[in-house]
Amino acid sequence: MFYQMITNARNRWFASPQCAVKDLLAYIERAGQMRDAQIDAIKTYLFLKIGCACKPLSGLFQEGAFNTLDLQAVELSGAAREYLVGHPGAAALLEYASLRNDAGEQVSKGLEEQLRKAPDSIDSRKFFQDAFYGISYTDYLFSLPMGAGKTYLMAAFIYLDLYFAMNEQENPAFAHNFIIFAPSGLKSSVVPSLKTIQKFDPSWVIPEPSASNIKRRLSFEVLDQGKTASKSNKTKNPNVQKIASHQPFTELFGLVAVTNAEKVILDRIEEKGGQISLYDESDDKKDRQANELRNLIGKLPALSVFIDEVHHAVSDEIKLRSVVSRWTESGAVNSVIGFSGTPYLEKAEKITVTDKLTVATAEITNTVYYYPLVDGVGNFL
């Protein structure tokens, strides 16, 4: 339901004088190569990247970046209205609590009533931190059904980031390099994913000559070798060699690496009872090699991490999130961008508001864009 607020704010931004990408969006629409779902997702991506500076969702909601509710039109006491006007995070929570799904069900009537009565009794900052899993880095999920062209959408995001990064290389909102995790467990998904991205025509989303200039700067690597190769008395990791060949990393721009997470990045990681072991201090040769690759990728500057469908493999997701969190500690990670066919959880999770009040959600909360399958059936045929 959070994505409803994001979409409403996005639409208002695109209609405002502050939106600087109207001409670019018009260009994409005129090119006529991207599907409706892809264009709509691109609108959200541009809004979050440019209108919201690619900040984490918890902070954006607390700042009121997605607020569209007119507090003057809401029935409130003078004190409650004054508090909500001065505390945009609490106002965001009121707007969220008032949302209704397609079945007409409200997110939380109890939360809405509590905010109307005593908004200062609720810690909105803690709520949003808990709602977005307590992470401090930028993590957005785009949900499009199968057949909507998610791989082409990834390519579009890559080229759009690089397009703006070339003009503003010091702007932290834009990524310079990318690693894409193909669906977990699908051995045949890596190379096809890379080929799809390689054949994407950037002029579909950015004008010439910029499109061709950026395409020439891209370099692609497939990290698909799960075993090490030995050519001397020292065993070498071929995936490490592929990444290391792009050193020095200081000015690295346009690297796109594709891999299966569980075969390469997650190799030699154990997860027991929710505890992750990365073998940082291990003397085992294979442990050291696995850590070497993970550590090297974590040094890639302005890195955007694309994850496709990883949430369907719970154990791998826990491991991958642990690795990504470690990468973010160095400050090199620009963002984590997820892609999924469905934004729903296997069972609803509860977010604590107060000792007596919780909000249940069956959706992955960091979903920023959702294109329902029912809307796309006719368009994808």
Side-chain angles (χ1 to χ4, degrees):
M1 298 293 282
F2 289 109
Y3 64 82
Q4 290 187 17
M5 290 180 63
I6 295 171
T7 301
N8 292 339
R10 178 204 73 179
N11 293 342
R12 184 177 64 178
W13 182 72
F14 267 94
S16 73
Q18 287 73 41
C19 178
V21 293
K22 293 178 184 178
D23 290 344
L24 178 61
L25 183 66
Y27 170 84
I28 296 172
E29 292 173 339
R30 286 196 306 272
Q33 298 297 324
M34 305 300 288
R35 295 172 174 173
D36 290 346
Q38 294 168 327
I39 292 175
D40 208 35
I42 287 170
K43 288 179 65 176
T44 297
Y45 191 73
L46 291 173
F47 169 58
L48 291 168
K49 280 281 182 173
I50 298 172
C52 301
C54 197
K55 296 179 181 179
L57 288 173
S58 59
L60 288 170
F61 272 94
Q62 183 61 23
E63 294 171 8
F66 309 124
N67 293 3
T68 58
L69 183 65
D70 182 3
L71 293 173
Q72 301 305 318
V74 179
E75 185 177 345
L76 296 165
S77 67
R81 180 174 288 105
E82 182 180 0
Y83 183 89
L84 290 168
V85 169
H87 296 78
L93 196 50
L94 174 61
E95 185 168 347
Y96 169 68
S98 305
L99 292 175
R100 295 182 180 275
N101 61 22
D102 294 337
E105 301 166 331
Q106 185 174 343
V107 169
S108 177
K109 183 65 176 176
L111 178 55
E112 179 194 6
E113 292 175 348
Q114 183 66 20
L115 285 162
R116 286 174 180 267
K117 180 176 63 177
D120 58 341
S121 67
I122 294 176
D123 186 345
S124 61
R125 183 178 298 277
K126 183 179 185 304
F127 175 89
F128 287 121
Q129 287 177 339
D130 292 345
F132 296 111
Y133 313 115
I135 62 174
S136 59
Y137 53 86
T138 297
D139 187 1
Y140 304 147
L141 177 67
F142 288 78
S143 179
L144 296 90
M146 184 177 296
K150 284 185 290 180
T151 307
Y152 267 2
L153 185 61
M154 292 181 195
F157 286 176
I158 288 171
Y159 278 104
L160 287 166
D161 257 52
L162 295 176
Y163 176 63
F164 289 103
M166 286 187 70
N167 295 321
E168 302 179 51
Q169 294 217 11
E170 301 303 317
N171 190 331
F174 307 119
H176 294 188
N177 300 287
F178 306 83
I179 183 164
I180 301 170
F181 293 112
S184 177
L186 301 181
K187 296 181 180 179
S188 62
S189 63
V190 175
V191 173
S193 294
L194 179 61
K195 288 183 177 179
T196 300
I197 293 172
Q198 283 180 309
K199 73 179 183 180
F200 181 82
D201 186 344
S203 68
W204 294 354
V205 293
I206 54 178
E208 294 287 7
S210 296
S212 296
N213 290 339
I214 294 173
K215 191 175 184 67
R216 282 193 293 268
R217 295 192 63 174
L218 259 60
S219 54
F220 298 90
E221 294 289 1
V222 180
L223 309 181
D224 61 348
Q225 295 182 247
K227 295 182 179 180
T228 58
S230 179
K231 294 184 179 180
S232 65
N233 59 353
K234 181 180 180 181
T235 302
K236 296 181 179 180
N237 186 325
N239 296 308
V240 169
Q241 293 176 297
K242 290 178 181 181
I243 298 297
S245 68
H246 295 275
Q247 292 177 322
F249 293 151
T250 309
E251 302 298 326
L252 184 61
F253 187 94
L255 173 64
V256 180
V258 184
T259 184
N260 281 129
E262 84 286 0
K263 291 297 180 184
V264 179
I265 307 302
L266 306 185
D267 186 34
R268 311 295 295 175
I269 295 179
E270 285 190 358
E271 186 269 321
K272 294 181 180 180
Q275 297 297 315
I276 301 295
S277 173
L278 295 179
Y279 298 103
D280 282 338
E281 304 301 327
S282 174
D283 290 329
D284 185 273
K285 183 181 295 183
K286 290 184 178 180
D287 292 344
R288 293 198 305 271
Q289 291 166 354
N291 279 326
E292 184 182 9
L293 177 60
R294 289 192 297 267
N295 292 337
L296 195 61
I297 291 173
K299 294 178 181 179
L300 297 175
L303 179 68
S304 188
V305 181
F306 286 10
I307 305 175
D308 190 9
E309 302 288 3
V310 74
H311 72 275
H312 290 302
V314 176
S315 178
D316 281 349
E317 180 184 21
I318 293 172
K319 295 177 183 179
L320 184 54
R321 287 296 173 178
S322 178
V323 173
V324 170
S325 296
R326 180 74 64 88
W327 287 343
T328 63
E329 292 174 2
S330 68
V333 174
N334 163 275
S335 55
V336 178
I337 309 295
F339 299 85
S340 172
T342 170
Y344 298 105
L345 301 165
E346 291 186 2
K347 62 179 181 179
E349 295 180 347
K350 292 184 178 180
I351 308 170
T352 300
V353 181
T354 66
D355 292 340
K356 299 180 180 180
L357 181 62
T358 61
V359 174
T361 177
E363 298 173 342
I364 301 173
T365 54
N366 63 316
T367 302
V368 298
Y369 176 78
Y370 174 48
Y371 194 90
L373 176 61
V374 67
D375 290 349
V377 170
N379 293 326
F380 304 151
L381 294 179

